[in-house]
């Protein structure tokens, strides 16, 4: 801005003044390009958010399934330990009685 305004306040010849119309057109084009880039970034961010939401939902459903599987495995392990303990005591009782 200062560089563009300096020629108007200096004693330079009029031939060396910048073309204001070209400068304005260049600034308008840059603003349009920036607006397009912002729009593209917003669209990419929206897609990323949707994909992230799907991933989170998938992880949550997997977590629920794993908790259910872990509960089943614990139940089977408890039944197995109980059965083994009963078999051990039954065998010890049979050997003691013989």
């Amino acid at each position: 801005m200062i560089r563009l305004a300096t020629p108007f306040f200096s004693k330079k010849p009029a031939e060396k003044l910048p073309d204001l119309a070209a400068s304005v057109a260049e600034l308008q084009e840059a603003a349009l390009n920036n607006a397009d880039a912002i729009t593209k970034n917003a669209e990419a961010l929206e897609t990323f958010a949707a994909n992230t939401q799907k991933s989170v939902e998938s992880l949550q459903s997997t977590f629920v399934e794993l908790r259910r599987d872990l509960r089943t495995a614990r139940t089977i392990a408890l039944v197995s330990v109980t059965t083994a303990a009963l078999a051990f005591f039954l065998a010890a009782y049979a050997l003691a009685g013989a």
Side-chain angles (χ1 to χ4, degrees):
M1 279 296 236
I2 295 174
R3 197 170 26 131
L4 291 175
T6 302
F8 293 106
F9 298 107
S10 67
K11 295 182 180 182
K12 292 183 180 178
E15 294 94 41
K16 294 185 180 182
L17 291 177
D19 184 14
L20 288 181
S23 296
V24 169
E26 184 180 341
L27 287 173
Q28 286 175 339
E29 182 180 344
L32 182 61
N33 288 339
N34 283 343
D36 290 342
I38 289 171
T39 302
K40 288 178 184 177
N41 285 343
E43 291 170 355
L45 184 60
E46 188 175 307
T47 303
F48 174 74
N51 289 339
T52 302
Q53 182 64 30
K54 288 178 186 176
S55 297
V56 167
E57 289 171 359
S58 174
L59 287 172
Q60 285 176 340
S61 66
T62 302
F63 176 71
V64 169
E65 290 175 16
L66 287 175
R67 284 185 86 182
R68 185 175 48 241
D69 291 347
L70 181 60
R71 190 178 318 125
T72 302
R74 283 182 179 169
T75 303
I76 291 171
L78 182 61
V79 169
S80 299
V81 167
T82 304
T83 304
L86 288 174
F88 175 77
F89 289 121
L90 182 61
Y93 178 74
L95 288 175

